[in-house]
Amino acid sequence: MMTNKISIKDIAKIANVSIATVSNVINGTGRVSAETAAKVKKVIQELQFVPSASARSLKDKNSHLIAIVVPFIEKGILQDNPFYWELVRGVESGARNHEVQVILLGISEAEDFSFVKGRHLDGLIVVGVYQHSEAFRKIKSIGVPCVFLDSYLSDSSLYQVELDDEAGGYLATKHLIGLGHRDIAVLTGKMEQSGVISCRYQGYLRALREAGIPDSPDYILQADSSVHGGYQAAQKLGSLADRISAIFALSDVSAMGLIRGLHDLGLRVPEDISVVGFDDIFYTKYMIPSLTTIQQDIVNKGQEAVKMLLDQINGTQSPLKKVVLPVSLVVRQSTSAPKKI
């Protein structure tokens, strides 16, 4: 028989039991003797029967569908950034045993979040939202379970998973200082107060202060956190290229574009300019040169977030509402001592 044509009525008929009994066996509910349960399970296995997701949703009132929501980002940037692929992989691996499906959505500031009800979403994992934004206000008003990722929200009642971004910025910059660099530029994305980029930048400043190195506004390069943004930043260096010996890019994708842009300008990495990234996405170890970066466990971040979300959905909330994950420095080929110390 074809699996998709089998119903619980067929299972009940072959096993010579009621439809209610089959339903109880499938869902682990009601009182069914071990002998009857074994008989029903044997028929289910022989027919390779798979319970309908829609039928299960009607029973437990859940859609078994959650969304990873990234505010203020274009769809194309989501698709082009391996960070989000790894995050989705972590969320999916954490949701798999719970038969929950995951979708990834980039939204604009004008989003009304009608898709939450339209798709009957059970919950949201929201990445990088700012607490003063209209999107954050709307998300809070929806009333569905939420976990906020990389958002640095002051409301202690919200479920959050964060990274020690400030420590990461500090480690990256301290590594460059330890190699002998003093003229260290920083390649940032959009700088929002208490956002991920801001925290990484604060770590950069702390390392400079600790080493007695003054920070210079001229050394701040701003570009989209994308490969294209990093490439454009290199093309706009101008005379700054002769003054600096290192650049700390606050994301790996920016660092990847930056290195290609420096190459096209005839500048060698690390011989002319050292580069450090942040995230340790999959491709960084395979680049030429391989990228020195701040490592975070992106997959584990997704797993932590979905665990928190599923606990809320299932009504088993943990008293721990905030998780801060560690970072570490991974030294590869893109950094070395400056030509003249």
Side-chain angles (χ1 to χ4, degrees):
M1 293 185 183
M2 295 295 291
T3 304
N4 61 352
K5 292 184 179 179
I6 298 297
S7 70
I8 63 171
K9 291 182 181 180
D10 299 315
I11 302 296
K13 185 176 181 180
I14 295 170
N16 196 26
V17 297
S18 69
I19 293 173
T21 297
V22 176
S23 178
N24 286 337
V25 172
I26 291 172
N27 295 303
T29 57
R31 294 183 180 180
V32 182
S33 70
E35 181 181 355
T36 300
K39 181 169 63 172
V40 171
K41 288 177 181 177
K42 183 180 179 183
V43 174
I44 289 172
Q45 186 176 14
E46 287 175 349
L47 298 180
Q48 297 181 326
F49 172 71
V50 178
S52 162
S54 59
R56 187 174 66 248
S57 297
L58 286 172
K59 173 190 171 294
D60 61 17
K61 309 302 182 185
N62 289 338
S63 66
H64 297 269
L65 183 65
I66 62 174
I68 302 171
V69 177
V70 187
F72 323 133
I73 194 164
E74 297 174 13
K75 184 177 181 181
I77 295 177
L78 274 179
Q79 294 170 337
D80 293 342
N81 192 338
F83 172 88
Y84 296 107
W85 308 347
E86 294 184 35
L87 180 63
V88 170
R89 183 158 64 91
V91 173
E92 285 184 333
S93 68
R96 193 173 300 130
N97 291 339
H98 299 269
E99 298 183 349
V100 171
Q101 294 182 313
V102 182
I103 59 175
L104 175 64
L105 299 170
I107 62 169
S108 69
E109 291 193 60
E111 177 62 57
D112 64 3
F113 292 91
S114 59
F115 66 85
V116 176
K117 289 186 177 180
R119 295 200 179 193
H120 306 287
L121 297 178
D122 292 336
L124 303 176
I125 295 174
V126 184
V127 185
V129 70
Y130 304 115
Q131 64 181 9
H132 59 268
S133 67
E134 184 67 12
F136 176 58
R137 186 192 67 77
K138 289 177 182 176
I139 289 167
K140 285 187 69 176
S141 70
I142 295 170
V144 300
C146 287
V147 173
F148 296 91
L149 219 64
D150 295 340
S151 296
Y152 291 96
L153 305 172
S154 59
D155 188 342
S156 60
S157 69
L158 301 174
Y159 289 84
Q160 299 189 65
V161 179
E162 296 176 0
L163 192 70
D164 198 342
D165 287 291
E166 194 275 347
Y170 173 81
L171 285 175
T173 312
K174 188 173 181 180
H175 168 66
L176 291 169
I177 294 170
L179 290 172
H181 295 278
R182 292 186 65 83
D183 294 296
I184 305 168
V186 59
L187 174 56
T188 78
K190 185 179 181 182
M191 198 94 73
E192 291 276 354
Q193 186 176 6
S194 299
V196 166
I197 296 299
S198 177
C199 289
R200 294 176 185 180
Y201 177 67
Q202 291 303 315
Y204 161 82
L205 292 178
R206 176 162 70 96
L208 293 181
R209 286 195 302 269
E210 187 180 276
I213 301 172
D215 62 285
S216 170
D218 293 341
Y219 287 1
I220 301 174
L221 310 171
Q222 279 200 313
D224 292 337
S225 295
S226 64
V227 174
H228 183 62
Y231 184 85
Q232 285 187 314
Q235 302 302 302
K236 295 177 181 177
L237 277 178
S239 62
L240 190 61
D242 296 325
R243 295 166 53 192
I244 61 174
S245 62
I247 302 175
F248 171 31
L250 301 191
S251 70
D252 282 349
V253 289
S254 295
M256 291 167 68
L258 174 69
I259 290 174
R260 177 53 193 259
L262 293 173
H263 175 271
D264 288 356
L265 291 174
L267 294 169
R268 300 166 299 164
V269 175
E271 292 85 354
D272 298 317
I273 296 180
S274 288
V275 176
V276 179
F278 199 118
D279 288 327
D280 196 28
I281 59 177
F282 176 77
Y283 295 110
T284 53
K285 62 175 70 71
Y286 299 107
M287 295 168 56
I288 300 175
S290 57
L291 184 65
T292 295
T293 188
I294 297 300
Q295 183 183 65
Q296 63 163 311
D297 191 335
I298 302 169
V299 171
N300 181 53
K301 179 184 279 188
Q303 291 170 337
E304 289 284 349
V306 76
K307 181 180 183 300
M308 278 182 148
L309 185 62
L310 292 174
D311 282 348
Q312 289 181 70
I313 292 169
N314 297 326
T316 56
Q317 294 101 315
S318 164
L320 183 64
K321 291 194 172 184
K322 185 175 181 178
V323 174
V324 180
L325 301 174
V327 295
S328 60
L329 174 70
V330 178
V331 179
R332 298 195 180 105
Q333 299 170 338
S334 67
T335 52
S336 67
K339 286 188 289 188
K340 293 181 180 180
I341 300 178

